[in-house]
């Protein structure tokens, strides 16, 4: 798409006052312009010159470097909804030494947490989930036993920005998990398995396996996988459905009717390692356990993420040692 003509004209020919910014080492760096310098100077506006190939190389070089670096990850989080992002925030904050990959099937991370129930904007969280809001710096209105964030997108965008700013986290969106990498159970037990990573593909490729020729996937090895893919659906509850097809769990319990009081407690308390190397949280867990759905209240999603991170740290050293061969 061609840019609007009004954008074509930079301040390169103007004589802006150089703005200054202190660097981490205390040195003062000068920038060519500030936003304030641009006001009233649009006739002289020009972007810095660039070749189109520079843009392509800047994107692809970094992306393939990330693919290479995260082919061996410490933790893979499947799903970047409210539970997955909360998991990533806690885990990356507590263990900045861990290399964490988030794999999200959608183009836009955040899952269903961009809006509240029935497309209403406010987000409701029952206490004590307000502790997590304070942790990440999201303002809210206190209503007694629950709090209200004025727009769910404020929670999601705040949490997402903090997670993506962490140097030990990489988000691969528009990418889906097609399968799990497995190894025999402990002591070579063929009756059991240990999850040792994920099999990935572009989401658009996965959606067309039925009408195109075979398009093989890619892989990420990791000693711990945390799956938060939500309730059953085309992409939902994927990892636990795969456990059923691999006959590692007998069947899914299936999500029960809505009961907020029962559902939220159950999801948080039961967030756990389902098989060695695979931790399940959020609404995906309700499909395993036959737990109630909770509807438009999001506290369990955030605190299930907190617990998933805690469960991961409990088993990480053991699973990493097992994953060395």
């Amino acid at each position: 798409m061609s840019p609007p003509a009004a954008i074509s004209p930079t301040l390169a020919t103007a004589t802006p006052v150089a703005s200054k910014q202190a660097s981490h080492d205390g040195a003062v760096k000068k920038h060519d312009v500030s936003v304030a310098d641009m006001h009233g100077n649009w006739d002289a506006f020009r972007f810095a010159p660039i070749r189109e190939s520079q843009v392509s190389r800047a994107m692809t070089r970094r992306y393939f470097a990330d693919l290479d670096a995260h082919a061996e990850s410490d933790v893979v989080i499947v799903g970047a909804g409210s539970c997955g992002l909360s998991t990533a925030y806690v885990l990356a904050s507590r263990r900045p030494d861990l290399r964490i990959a988030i794999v999200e099937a959608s183009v836009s991370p955040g899952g269903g947490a961009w809006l509240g129930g029935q497309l209403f904007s406010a987000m409701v969280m029952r206490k004590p989930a307000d502790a997590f809001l304070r942790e990440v710096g999201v303002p809210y209105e206190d209503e007694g036993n629950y709090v209200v964030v004025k727009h769910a997108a404020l929670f999601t965008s705040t949490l997402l920005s903090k997670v993506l700013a962490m140097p030990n986290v990489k988000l691969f969106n528009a990418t889906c998990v097609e399968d799990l990498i497995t190894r025999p159970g402990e002591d070579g037990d063929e009756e059991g398995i240990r999850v040792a990573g994920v099999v990935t593909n572009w989401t658009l490729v996965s959606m067309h396996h039925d009408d195109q020729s075979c398009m093989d996937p890619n892989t990420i090895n990791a000693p711990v996988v945390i799956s938060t893919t939500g309730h059953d659906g085309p992409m939902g509850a994927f990892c636990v459905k795969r456990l059923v097809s691999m006959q590692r769990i007998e069947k899914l319990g299936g999500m029960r009717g809505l009961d907020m009081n029962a559902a939220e407690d159950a999801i948080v308390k039961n967030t756990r390692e389902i098989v060695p190397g695979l931790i399940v949280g959020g609404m995906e867990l309700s499909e395993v356990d036959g737990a109630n759905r909770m509807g438009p209240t999001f506290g369990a999603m955030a605190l299930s993420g907190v617990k998933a991170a805690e469960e991961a740290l409990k088993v990480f050293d053991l699973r990493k040692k097992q994953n060395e061969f």
Side-chain angles (χ1 to χ4, degrees), residues 105 107 174-176 201-209 215 235:
V107 172
T175 306
C176 70
N201 215 328
W202 307 123
T203 301
L204 291 176
V205 170
S206 294
M207 292 171 65
H208 288 280
H209 280 318
M215 294 170 280
M235 298 292 183

Side-chain angles (χ1 to χ4, degrees), residues 129-183:
D130 56 319
F132 190 74
L133 296 176
R134 292 192 295 275
E135 172 81 14
V136 297
V138 175
Y140 57 81
E141 300 169 23
D142 194 319
E143 298 286 351
N145 286 342
Y146 64 93
V147 300
V148 181
V149 179
K150 70 176 183 178
H151 201 298
L154 178 58
F155 168 78
T156 305
S157 59
T158 301
L159 179 58
L160 181 61
S161 68
K162 289 181 179 293
V163 168
L164 293 184
M166 293 175 169
N168 58 328
V169 177
K170 171 61 184 180
L171 169 67
F172 296 98
N173 50 319
T175 306
C176 70
V177 169
E178 287 194 338
D179 206 343
L180 301 171
I181 299 173
T182 63
R183 300 284 187 265

Side-chain angles (χ1 to χ4, degrees), residues 56-184:
S56 180
R57 286 170 171 166
M59 293 187 299
T60 56
R61 181 170 59 244
R62 286 163 175 78
Y63 193 86
F64 283 103
D66 286 333
L67 282 177
D68 181 72
H70 287 84
E72 283 284 350
S73 292
D74 293 310
V75 178
V76 172
I77 298 171
V78 188
S82 49
C83 182
L85 291 174
S86 299
T87 303
Y89 175 82
V90 175
L91 195 57
S93 299
R94 293 186 182 178
R95 288 290 300 270
D97 58 308
L98 297 183
R99 180 175 292 162
I100 300 169
I102 308 174
V103 182
E104 167 55 47
S106 178
V107 172
S108 56
W114 289 108
L115 289 166
Q118 199 172 312
L119 305 184
F120 300 152
S121 57
M123 172 179 276
V124 176
M125 284 195 179
R126 293 165 61 204
K127 293 182 177 180
D130 56 319
F132 190 74
L133 296 176
R134 292 192 295 275
E135 172 81 14
V136 297
V138 175
Y140 57 81
E141 300 169 23
D142 194 319
E143 298 286 351
N145 286 342
Y146 64 93
V147 300
V148 181
V149 179
K150 70 176 183 178
H151 201 298
L154 178 58
F155 168 78
T156 305
S157 59
T158 301
L159 179 58
L160 181 61
S161 68
K162 289 181 179 293
V163 168
L164 293 184
M166 293 175 169
N168 58 328
V169 177
K170 171 61 184 180
L171 169 67
F172 296 98
N173 50 319
T175 306
C176 70
V177 169
E178 287 194 338
D179 206 343
L180 301 171
I181 299 173
T182 63
R183 300 284 187 265

Side-chain angles (χ1 to χ4, degrees), residues 5-16 32-35 37-50:
I7 296 180
S8 61
T10 17
L11 286 173
T13 56
T15 310
D32 291 334
V33 295
S34 68
V35 172
D37 296 327
M38 297 181 188
H39 294 309
N41 288 303
W42 298 111
D43 289 343
F45 183 84
R46 294 288 187 280
F47 280 110
I50 196 168

